[in-house]
Amino acid sequence: SPLLCFRDLCFDPENLELSANGKSLSLSKKEAGLMEYFLKNKEQNLRRGLILSYVWGADAEIEEGNLDNYIYFLRRRLRTLKSRVIKTIHGVGYRLEGIQEDT
């Protein structure tokens, strides 16, 4: 499958590898599912229910707290790469966006 990219960040869905700024790292299957969904919908507000359905499946009995844990793991990985950020949209879900520059 083709690479999914957003500015400096690229994800290889076949190898579950995320790279940016000359660094790369491997993701777990769930982290990879989240990253793929965010990159396919970059800079869009994504509802929690839609994220859960995409990553875990529509019929999965999953608690929303599990999503929060995986978002935390993915945020840590993005910080390691000094790349994009996943912003919490209160009452809605999450959004993948660029890092704010310090001025």
Side-chain angles (χ1 to χ4, degrees), residues 17-28:
E17 188 172 280
L18 189 62
S19 61
N21 301 311
K23 298 178 187 177
S24 64
L25 47 84
S26 295
L27 300 179
S28 72

Side-chain angles (χ1 to χ4, degrees), residues 38 45 75 85-89 93-97 100:
F38 279 119
N45 294 342
R75 283 176 169 156
V85 295
I86 298 171
K87 182 178 180 184
T88 300
I89 309 299
Y94 298 97
R95 173 187 180 102
L96 179 68
E97 57 185 40
Q100 291 184 342

Side-chain angles (χ1 to χ4, degrees), residues 30-95:
K30 295 299 183 204
E31 290 170 331
L34 281 170
M35 194 74 253
E36 182 176 351
Y37 193 65
F38 279 119
L39 286 169
K40 286 181 175 180
N41 299 282
K42 52 191 166 271
E43 298 186 300
Q44 294 182 41
N45 294 342
L46 302 175
R47 296 192 173 281
R48 295 173 65 86
L50 292 175
I51 298 169
L52 287 166
S53 291
Y54 184 85
V55 177
W56 279 270
D59 297 332
E61 303 243 348
I62 185 89
E63 294 184 25
E64 287 194 10
N66 287 337
L67 174 59
D68 298 328
N69 289 335
Y70 277 96
I71 293 290
Y72 171 77
F73 299 148
L74 198 51
R75 283 176 169 156
R76 262 191 346 198
R77 298 204 180 262
L78 289 168
R79 269 194 305 274
T80 299
L81 296 174
K82 295 182 170 82
S83 186
R84 311 291 99 201
V85 295
I86 298 171
K87 182 178 180 184
T88 300
I89 309 299
H90 294 285
V92 177
Y94 298 97
R95 173 187 180 102

